Structures are given as C-alpha cells and as structure tokens.
Amino acid sequence: DDGFNDLPALREHLVGRLTAEAERKAAEELREQALDRVIDGAKIEFAYSIVEHEAAHMMEQQERRLANNRVSMEEYLEQLSQTREQMMQEMQAQAERRVIHSLVLTEIKEREAIEVSPSEIDEAVQELVEASGDQRAQARRVFDSEETRRSLERSLMTRKTLDRLVEIVSQPAESPAPETGPDPEEET
C-alpha cells in the first residue's frame, strides 16, 4: 500500500513535495546571496594557516568518504586526471571560502546575539525523528547523542544567522534626512 487512494491524491502529494523543495532551494539561494553581499563589502583579515588547516581537514574527509566506498585517493585522482597538489589547490580555494563564511557568520551571530535554545534543538530532533518513518527508534537513539545534538545546534545556529542576515540585507536602506535650510523663525 503506497498510502494514496487515487491518482489525484498522489499528484497532490508530489506537487506538495516539489513545491516544498523549490521553496527550500530558493531560501537557500537567498541565504547564499545575502552572505555573498556582506562578504563582497567586507574587509576580512585572518591567518592563512587557518585556510591550510581547513584544506587539510577537507582532504582527510574526502579520503574517508572514498575509503568508505572502497576507492583509494590515487584511483580517485586518476579518474579526475588530477594530481594531489591540484586537488589541494582546489580545496584551499574552497577552504578559504569556508573560513570567510564562518568568520562573517560568527561576527553576525555575536552582533545580533543569536542563540539556539534547548527547546529549539528538541523540536528539530522531534521533526527529524518523525520524518524517519519506520526508523524512528533508531533515529531517536542517534539524536540522543550529545555529539549529534551539538552538530544539530551548529546547523540551527547557522540557519538562524543566515535567516537574520537575509532580513538585514532585505531591509530598505535608510535614506538620509533631507537637508533643510535654517528655520526661518530662528532668524529674528
């Protein structure tokens, strides 16, 4: 049983899912554009060693993903026709972008005093568990771990900060007050 009694019910379900996905993508794109606008106008200084560290971390993550799929880094690089150094250069560019995004978001979070409450985390966990269908018990165990909850908290913090950033950049710029001459009544 697929849970749909007829073709119109299935169609309605699919249209709803597609609409929700399109809205999610549009919101994500808006967040990225807002962040890019802030970054383009900002002067951000940081030690390049942070980028190197992030790039090395990204390379380690890539190697773990490949190993999980039983592919060596050498095989992967051969498929891409790249050297390890070329891949590291690409990762450094991505790492620099990540570092800048992180620094900007941290600054916004602090200036705007954005926080994630334990109840917001609980609500997000409940939504994720409910969306797990037949795997609810297993999902509940996963989300009971402190590490997973901290990861979820970071994700929620990022989303809230990006949403606030969208609000800020979407506000119309305040126009300066029109200049006026001296008040005629004061000239006596």
Side-chain angles (χ1 to χ4, degrees):
D1 182 26
D2 59 9
F4 303 104
N5 297 329
D6 54 21
L7 190 56
L10 175 60
R11 181 178 297 123
E12 183 178 335
H13 172 75
L14 291 175
V15 166
R17 284 185 57 189
L18 290 172
T19 301
E21 180 64 16
E23 289 171 356
R24 186 195 63 75
K25 283 183 179 179
E28 186 62 35
E29 190 172 307
L30 188 59
R31 289 180 187 116
E32 279 296 314
Q33 289 173 353
L35 186 55
D36 288 343
R37 276 182 58 190
V38 170
I39 289 170
D40 288 345
K43 183 176 186 322
I44 303 165
E45 295 179 10
F46 55 90
Y48 198 76
S49 60
I50 297 170
V51 172
E52 292 169 341
H53 176 77
E54 180 66 16
H57 178 69
M58 290 169 65
M59 183 69 90
E60 290 169 8
Q61 287 178 320
Q62 180 67 22
E63 288 188 57
R64 274 195 300 277
R65 279 192 298 273
L66 291 169
N68 288 340
N69 291 314
R70 300 186 189 334
V71 176
S72 73
M73 179 58 86
E74 290 70 30
E75 293 168 326
Y76 180 69
L77 290 170
E78 189 174 312
Q79 288 174 348
L80 295 176
S81 299
Q82 277 190 328
T83 66
R84 190 174 190 85
E85 291 74 28
Q86 289 170 322
M87 176 170 264
M88 185 55 96
Q89 283 179 333
E90 286 179 12
M91 287 194 172
Q92 282 184 324
Q94 293 170 15
E96 184 170 354
R97 183 171 168 82
R98 276 188 186 184
V99 167
I100 290 170
H101 281 195
S102 177
L103 292 170
V104 168
L105 288 174
T106 298
E107 181 68 20
I108 293 166
K109 175 188 72 129
E110 290 173 359
R111 284 186 184 198
E112 297 295 317
I114 298 170
E115 296 179 353
V116 174
S117 69
S119 64
E120 288 174 298
I121 297 169
D122 292 340
E123 186 177 311
V125 165
Q126 189 59 36
E127 287 175 15
L128 291 166
V129 167
E130 291 300 320
S132 299
D134 296 339
Q135 305 294 319
R136 285 187 183 120
Q138 185 179 11
R140 172 64 64 194
R141 283 191 300 276
V142 167
F143 286 108
D144 280 344
S145 109
E146 268 310 303
E147 183 179 337
T148 304
R149 290 179 69 81
R150 279 193 303 272
S151 176
L152 184 58
E153 179 181 17
R154 285 190 300 273
S155 293
L156 291 170
M157 180 68 72
T158 298
R159 187 179 324 141
K160 284 179 76 170
T161 305
L162 284 167
D163 287 346
R164 178 64 184 127
L165 178 59
V166 168
E167 288 175 16
I168 292 168
V169 300
S170 297
Q171 294 173 353
E174 292 184 25
S175 326
E179 291 201 25
T180 59
D183 188 347
E185 292 179 16
E186 290 181 11
E187 293 183 19
T188 48

